Amino acid sequence: MTTAATPAPPPGPEASDPVALGWMTGFPPPPDKAITYADGSFRAFPQLRWSWSHVRQIVPTVNVWRGTGGPSPLPRAEQDLDALPVTTMGGEATTFARALVDTYADGIVVLHRGRIVFERYFGALKPHQPHIGMSVTKSFTGTLAGILVADGLIDPAAPVTAYVPELARSAFGDATVRQVMDMTTGLAYSEIYTDPSSDIFALRRANGMAPPLPGVPQPSLLEYLTTIAKQGEHDRVFAYKTVNTDVLAWVMRRASGLSLSELLSTRIWQPMGAEEDAHYTVDRLGIESGGGGLNTTTRDLARFGEVMRGGGSFNGRRLFPTSVVEAITCGGDPAKFAPAGYATLPGWSYRTQWWVSHDPHGAYMARGVHGQSLYIDPKAEVVIARYASHPAAGNVANDPITLPAFRAVAMALMG
Amino acid sequence: MTTAATPAPPPGPEASDPVALGWMTGFPPPPDKAITYADGSFRAFPQLRWSWSHVRQIVPTVNVWRGTGGPSPLPRAEQDLDALPVTTMGGEATTFARALVDTYADGIVVLHRGRIVFERYFGALKPHQPHIGMSVTKSFTGTLAGILVADGLIDPAAPVTAYVPELARSAFGDATVRQVMDMTTGLAYSEIYTDPSSDIFALRRANGMAPPLPGVPQPSLLEYLTTIAKQGEHDRVFAYKTVNTDVLAWVMRRASGLSLSELLSTRIWQPMGAEEDAHYTVDRLGIESGGGGLNTTTRDLARFGEVMRGGGSFNGRRLFPTSVVEAITCGGDPAKFAPAGYATLPGWSYRTQWWVSHDPHGAYMARGVHGQSLYIDPKAEVVIARYASHPAAGNVANDPITLPAFRAVAMALMG
């Protein structure tokens, strides 16, 4: 009779502080402080507390140029939110400052009516440094898709194959653009971060965020998308599968003739007056990961949130029509979302790569694994950008603290 | 009896134009337009005409932050230099415009008294886009070393091992910092770009600019430096070997506690008001290639030339003492340089990682393979920054056009 060893819990926020642990310090870093791509340590915990702020040192990237102008102003009206009381979903009393630490925050910027009311950095992140957005990337892709719809370059009702004929024999062969935008396709593709045999790991090898398996031909990202088979029916239920976003980005490139980095630079990054360049991770052919590879500063993520809150206008400039935002905030069908069983997101829906709460404030979010989040509360006139390096990939682990904390901030700022 | 096939000459500048050839266009690029890291195509000609402007899409990089200020002004006083007559070293009559094309220029910025008098871009390069400097990188490393000498953090007369004990059993075990600065070490290390067995290719695998050999343990860049054995004596002759620069950069990191990217950002990039961030390629442990991995825009390279021409001052701001520049422009010992046999550089010397002409104008250069160059003519008050993608690595192939062209520009601007 054997006793299964209980895995030790991951080190807590203070014990995993990447600066205190000295990752990648020393010339060269000693073996026990080294983080590399080839051995996969860059995505292990606690190493990822360093890696998520240093992705471009680990994999190739493409720049998202901010243009030649100065950064758009973000006026400051700082408030002390540290002691703000927060009650977690489990009913525990905490504070906003403690909530940030307990969700392994790397950086946070809170805007109220376009002014910075709160800004903090932790761990390995600095204000000017880009942090990986993980699936927050998807909401940028979705918004850019909406812009191309408004341009008349993409018809959401059209079949995906009208833009990308190579997908004809895949699961996407009979899907519409709207279905991939809203992730209501039926795909034989699993995205379970705790199961090493899950298809998400094959996607990572294809998009360059994991090394190829030795001796096995490695498809590029777009080649990999053509191999996804159908399972079930389209348009029945929401099923969160990153390959939808990468298909959407493929449609966008074909419709516009531009790469994702060119689209983001010209349609959002330059006109919104980003403070720093952003960058995407790329596969071996230079194709951006539209599902998870965008890196931005925390402040620029907040600026993008403010663009959305402003209905496509920011800093006195219109970037895109209000209809683009309205087509997102209207939300998807909660009945299609409910079967996915997100315990922390009751009544929510997914629309054009955004998570929509349908709450009385009309809040909606961009969300990425390990706690990446952009929270927009239109009624409270609040935008919260938070990058993090939580040990758990799935946000169900941090939502019970994060969502009440964000709501508490919004309520406090509404006054 | 067999007849050796004569290899076809590489395509000329127009026939190799990377935009016309459509490298990396299409989503995804078709196989005959693809350029990848793994297959080495990124450094083949004519592919490198695209690659040298897109290095960060091919390998991991670390950012050199430009800081929060606006770019320093570079006033314009443009002159038409296209038709300027140039006589090549071979005695052929050409023009400056033709000389640029014939040396496969990607970008050029000519400054006279700090004003842009001429600026052009070709091929795959754009004004805001960084291009790899190759060994132009070394002159940045050397200048930063000079700054640390002025700081009192590095003693050029000290043994290298005073800073890096790990080098004790290598060729550098009995070398001084001055010897590695001036490349007068005696090393069993060859740098012959046309010989695939040359040690330069082992250095590339170590610094990440070539994939590791399958099944062979791959040392990191700093590990590789400890393996270089001695050959001959130190301090006798100049011998151009990139590992000296990487050893110098290692000394600098140990002396300052800062990475090369942090040193360049804080000591030069931020105070000079660079227009764009720069970046270094890094090895698998995040260590920058101080011998060849720096990428900058052409304009920012020109700005750095103007900092040097100004004796460490630029845009009304002192970046470092004039003594740092003087310790470079004084030059090395031409008698130690002559045996190296550079036919196009008679009477020159090498000092602190710069090439010094000892001509009546006191001209000196940063030089990198495939035509990268920063030419500073103090008497003519001229700085020329030129990035290129010449088919030949060695500059002996383009010097016969380049050097007369640069001198003709300087003479014309002196008036």
Side-chain angles (χ1 to χ4, degrees):
Chain A
M1 188 180 135
T2 59
T3 308
T6 307
E14 287 90 352
S16 66
D17 181 82
V19 174
L21 292 178
W23 296 115
M24 294 295 268
T25 54
F27 308 108
D32 65 333
K33 299 299 181 191
I35 296 177
T36 72
Y37 176 71
D39 70 4
S41 56
F42 76 103
R43 57 166 64 259
F45 191 89
Q47 290 93 324
L48 63 79
R49 300 217 64 194
W50 179 89
S51 312
W52 291 173
S53 298
H54 295 87
V55 163
R56 70 176 286 178
Q57 292 181 230
I58 296 166
V59 294
T61 52
V62 61
N63 199 48
V64 177
W65 190 43
R66 56 172 295 283
T68 55
S72 54
L74 276 184
R76 286 183 181 272
E78 300 205 33
Q79 297 193 27
D80 186 2
L81 300 177
D82 281 326
L84 182 77
V86 172
T87 304
T88 70
M89 287 184 188
E92 288 171 60
T94 185
T95 62
F96 188 56
R98 190 66 225 172
L100 289 174
V101 171
D102 286 344
T103 52
Y104 298 77
D106 294 327
I108 182 157
V109 170
V110 178
L111 303 181
H112 182 224
R113 297 180 179 160
R115 289 184 301 247
I116 297 182
V117 295
F118 189 82
E119 179 174 18
R120 292 282 189 285
Y121 296 90
F122 308 86
L125 190 61
K126 297 192 181 77
H128 68 273
Q129 209 170 329
H131 187 288
I132 192 162
M134 296 297 182
S135 295
V136 162
T137 307
K138 292 181 172 71
S139 303
F140 285 87
T141 305
T143 304
L144 289 166
I147 292 172
L148 295 180
V149 169
D151 283 350
L153 290 175
I154 291 178
D155 175 5
V160 164
T161 53
Y163 306 92
V164 187
E166 293 95 320
L167 288 166
R169 282 191 279 197
S170 76
F172 304 99
D174 62 349
T176 65
V177 174
R178 179 85 256 157
Q179 287 157 359
V180 300
M181 285 172 96
D182 294 349
M183 295 214 198
T184 56
T185 47
L187 308 179
Y189 169 93
S190 66
E191 187 147 341
I192 303 164
Y193 290 87
T194 48
D195 172 7
S197 70
S198 175
D199 297 305
I200 183 66
F201 298 99
L203 174 64
R204 281 187 188 160
R205 289 190 292 272
N207 70 24
M209 281 296 278
L213 297 176
V216 179
Q218 177 57 58
S220 69
L221 173 56
L222 301 185
E223 284 168 349
Y224 177 68
L225 298 177
T226 67
T227 69
I228 308 296
K230 195 170 175 182
Q231 189 177 75
E233 295 301 316
H234 299 325
D235 221 24
R236 295 273 173 87
V237 292
F238 163 71
Y240 187 80
K241 298 182 177 188
T242 296
V243 286
N244 284 294
T245 321
D246 284 310
V247 165
L248 178 61
W250 197 355
V251 167
M252 291 158 60
R253 294 178 185 106
R254 285 284 171 84
S256 68
L258 297 173
S259 69
L260 208 51
S261 43
E262 290 168 327
L263 280 170
L264 181 55
S265 172
T266 56
R267 305 307 292 264
I268 297 177
W269 231 241
Q270 294 188 49
M272 90 171 181
E275 201 163 307
E276 299 288 341
D277 291 348
H279 53 264
Y280 283 102
T281 64
V282 292
D283 80 347
R284 62 180 167 82
L285 293 175
I287 299 291
E288 307 93 341
S289 169
L294 181 63
N295 296 258
T296 79
T297 67
T298 317
R299 270 188 218 140
D300 283 334
L301 179 60
R303 276 187 177 84
F304 174 60
E306 192 63 14
V307 170
M308 294 298 293
R309 192 184 75 82
S313 279
F314 175 62
N315 194 32
R317 184 167 179 175
R318 175 153 296 283
L319 281 73
F320 46 81
T322 304
S323 62
V324 173
V325 177
E326 289 169 346
I328 290 163
T329 54
C330 65
D333 183 350
K336 287 182 181 168
F337 184 88
Y342 287 85
T344 54
L345 305 175
W348 289 50
S349 71
Y350 194 81
R351 174 77 174 176
T352 313
Q353 310 286 315
W354 287 83
W355 304 78
V356 181
S357 76
H358 301 274
D359 73 8
H361 284 206
Y364 57 107
M365 289 186 79
R367 294 161 56 87
V369 288
H370 300 285
Q372 322 316 323
S373 43
L374 176 60
Y375 183 88
I376 302 169
D377 181 331
K379 184 163 184 200
E381 303 170 282
V382 164
V383 166
I384 305 175
R386 186 200 59 194
Y387 282 133
S389 46
H390 197 282
N395 281 320
V396 70
N398 72 75
D399 275 347
I401 301 176
T402 297
L403 295 179
F406 289 177
R407 287 178 190 129
V409 166
M411 293 305 288
L413 291 170
M414 276 182 81
Chain B
M1 189 179 131
T2 58
T3 307
T6 307
E14 287 90 351
S16 67
D17 180 83
V19 174
L21 291 178
W23 295 116
M24 294 294 269
T25 55
F27 307 108
D32 65 333
K33 300 299 182 191
I35 295 176
T36 71
Y37 175 71
D39 71 3
S41 56
F42 76 103
R43 58 167 63 260
F45 192 88
Q47 289 93 325
L48 62 80
R49 300 216 66 195
W50 180 89
S51 311
W52 292 172
S53 300
H54 295 85
V55 163
R56 71 176 286 178
Q57 290 181 235
I58 296 166
V59 293
T61 52
V62 61
N63 198 48
V64 177
W65 189 43
R66 57 172 295 283
T68 54
S72 54
L74 275 184
R76 287 184 180 271
E78 299 205 35
Q79 297 192 27
D80 185 2
L81 300 177
D82 282 326
L84 182 76
V86 172
T87 305
T88 71
M89 287 184 189
E92 288 171 62
T94 185
T95 61
F96 187 57
R98 189 66 225 172
L100 289 174
V101 172
D102 286 344
T103 52
Y104 297 77
D106 293 327
I108 183 159
V109 170
V110 178
L111 303 182
H112 182 225
R113 296 177 179 162
R115 291 184 301 246
I116 296 181
V117 295
F118 189 82
E119 180 174 17
R120 294 282 189 285
Y121 296 90
F122 308 87
L125 190 60
K126 297 192 181 78
H128 69 273
Q129 209 170 329
H131 187 287
I132 191 162
M134 298 297 183
S135 296
V136 162
T137 307
K138 293 182 172 70
S139 304
F140 285 88
T141 305
T143 304
L144 289 166
I147 292 171
L148 295 180
V149 169
D151 283 351
L153 291 175
I154 291 179
D155 175 6
V160 164
T161 52
Y163 306 92
V164 187
E166 294 95 321
L167 288 166
R169 283 192 278 198
S170 77
F172 303 100
D174 61 350
T176 66
V177 174
R178 173 55 45 214
Q179 288 157 0
V180 300
M181 285 173 95
D182 294 350
M183 296 214 197
T184 56
T185 47
L187 308 179
Y189 170 93
S190 67
E191 186 145 341
I192 303 164
Y193 290 87
T194 49
D195 173 7
S197 71
S198 175
D199 298 306
I200 183 67
F201 298 100
L203 175 63
R204 279 187 188 160
R205 288 190 292 273
N207 70 24
M209 281 296 277
L213 297 176
V216 180
Q218 177 59 56
S220 70
L221 173 56
L222 301 185
E223 283 168 350
Y224 176 68
L225 298 177
T226 67
T227 69
I228 308 297
K230 196 169 175 183
Q231 189 177 77
E233 296 301 315
H234 300 325
D235 221 24
R236 295 275 172 87
V237 293
F238 164 71
Y240 186 81
K241 297 180 177 189
T242 295
V243 285
N244 284 293
T245 321
D246 283 310
V247 165
L248 178 61
W250 198 355
V251 167
M252 292 158 59
R253 294 179 185 106
R254 285 285 171 83
S256 68
L258 298 173
S259 70
L260 209 52
S261 44
E262 290 168 328
L263 280 170
L264 181 55
S265 173
T266 56
R267 303 308 292 263
I268 298 177
W269 229 242
Q270 294 188 47
M272 89 172 184
E275 202 163 308
E276 298 289 341
D277 290 349
H279 54 264
Y280 283 101
T281 64
V282 292
D283 80 347
R284 62 180 166 83
L285 293 176
I287 299 290
E288 306 94 340
S289 169
L294 181 64
N295 296 259
T296 79
T297 68
T298 317
R299 269 188 219 143
D300 283 334
L301 180 61
R303 276 186 176 85
F304 174 61
E306 192 65 11
V307 169
M308 294 298 291
R309 192 183 77 79
S313 278
F314 176 63
N315 194 34
R317 184 166 180 178
R318 176 155 295 283
L319 281 73
F320 46 81
T322 304
S323 60
V324 172
V325 178
E326 289 168 347
I328 290 164
T329 54
C330 65
D333 183 350
K336 287 181 181 169
F337 185 87
Y342 286 87
T344 54
L345 306 175
W348 289 50
S349 70
Y350 193 80
R351 175 77 173 175
T352 313
Q353 311 284 318
W354 287 84
W355 305 77
V356 181
S357 77
H358 300 275
D359 74 7
H361 285 204
Y364 57 106
M365 291 185 78
R367 293 161 58 86
V369 288
H370 300 284
Q372 322 316 325
S373 41
L374 176 60
Y375 183 87
I376 302 170
D377 181 331
K379 186 164 182 197
E381 302 169 280
V382 165
V383 167
I384 305 176
R386 186 201 57 197
Y387 282 132
S389 47
H390 197 283
N395 282 318
V396 69
N398 74 75
D399 275 346
I401 301 176
T402 297
L403 295 179
F406 289 178
R407 288 179 189 129
V409 166
M411 294 304 289
L413 293 171
M414 274 182 82

